[in-house]
């Protein structure tokens, strides 16, 4: 997207992002997709504190390159798993997230998907993750406008992070 097509959008009072995706884009999770749950979920510090209230961190997290991620674990099933047969430790057999369903909470990284987030020249930028264009079935299948619902995708925590880059994977 060219610099003149970028758009600044206030998500929260005094918290704006530079939007680098088509403003007409819609997104809604679709049943049985779970593609975003097949990769490691990066946990920011506040996510770790929240997760510690809901799960045993020693059993559900792993360190990779000095950062914490939710453990990917082998699943004894063919559905809702990555090519290697593994998925997020919290992804249930029915393809639903136990953290979201049972605790009404999800890590920041899960909220952000399918957006890519990064900091550039002091601004928070958002775009659609390259991998989402290839694999995510929820793009442009609903009436839910991403740009009109950015607060649902971008927790305020992101503005506080030195490196909110959401493209880091386990």
């Amino acid at each position: 997207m060219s610099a003149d097509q970028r758009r600044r959008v206030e998500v929260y009072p005094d918290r704006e992002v530079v939007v680098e995706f088509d403003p007409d884009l819609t997104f809604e999770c679709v049943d049985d997709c779970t593609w975003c749950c097949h990769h490691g979920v990066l946990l920011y510090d506040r996510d770790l504190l929240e997760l510690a209230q809901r799960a045993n961190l020693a059993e559900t997290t792993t360190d990779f390159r000095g950062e914490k991620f939710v453990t990917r674990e082998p699943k004894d099933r063919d559905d809702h798993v990555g090519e290697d047969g593994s998925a997020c430790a919290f992804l249930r057999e029915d393809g639903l997230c136990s953290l979201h369903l049972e605790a009404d909470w999800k890590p920041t990284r899960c909220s952000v998907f399918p957006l890519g987030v990064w900091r550039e020249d002091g601004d928070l930028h958002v775009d659609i993750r390259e991998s989402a264009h290839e694999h995510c079935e929820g793009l442009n299948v609903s009436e839910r406008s991403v740009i009109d619902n950015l607060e649902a995708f971008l927790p305020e925590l992101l503005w506080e992070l030195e490196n909110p880059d959401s493209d880091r994977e386990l």
Side-chain angles (χ1 to χ4, degrees):
M1 181 174 275
S2 74
D4 358 322
Q5 294 175 308
R6 291 181 186 147
R7 179 175 173 181
R8 293 179 95 67
V9 176
E10 186 174 68
V11 181
Y12 301 101
D14 299 320
R15 306 236 181 191
E16 61 183 24
V17 294
V18 177
V19 173
E20 301 204 22
F21 58 84
D22 179 351
D24 294 329
L25 180 80
T26 66
F27 174 79
E28 195 74 50
C29 283
V30 296
D31 291 343
D32 293 329
C33 176
T34 70
W35 180 82
C36 58
C37 305
H38 302 172
H39 313 282
V41 174
L42 175 66
L43 295 166
Y44 301 113
D45 289 345
R46 192 174 304 160
D47 291 327
L48 278 170
L49 296 174
E50 290 284 337
L51 184 58
Q53 295 176 32
R54 295 164 173 83
N56 181 327
L57 294 180
E59 294 174 3
T60 58
T61 65
T62 188
D63 288 307
F64 181 68
R65 296 184 180 157
E67 296 181 302
K68 285 281 193 195
F69 286 81
V70 171
T71 303
R72 290 182 76 248
E73 62 183 21
K75 304 286 186 175
D76 188 22
R77 59 183 187 240
D78 294 328
D79 294 330
H80 310 298
V81 295
E83 291 178 11
D84 64 355
S86 296
C88 175
F90 297 104
L91 186 63
R92 301 182 334 181
E93 192 168 321
D94 61 4
L96 300 174
C97 173
S98 62
L99 286 173
H100 193 210
L101 287 173
E102 298 163 18
D104 194 27
W105 175 82
K106 53 185 166 181
T108 301
R109 177 92 177 262
C110 298
S111 296
V112 168
F113 196 84
L115 300 178
V117 179
W118 70 97
R119 190 168 304 287
E120 184 178 308
D121 299 327
D123 291 322
L124 202 60
H125 290 248
V126 294
D127 199 354
I128 303 304
R129 291 172 59 113
E130 193 66 38
S131 56
H133 285 292
E134 299 169 27
H135 302 285
C136 181
E137 298 174 22
L139 295 173
N140 291 317
V141 296
S142 73
E143 298 298 315
R144 183 181 180 219
S145 165
V146 174
I147 204 162
D148 292 338
N149 292 281
L150 282 172
E151 74 285 347
F153 294 95
L154 303 173
E156 283 190 89
L157 160 71
L158 292 169
W159 280 266
E160 300 166 15
L161 299 172
E162 184 178 323
N163 181 11
D165 181 5
S166 62
D167 207 21
R168 295 174 287 185
E169 291 187 359
L170 180 60

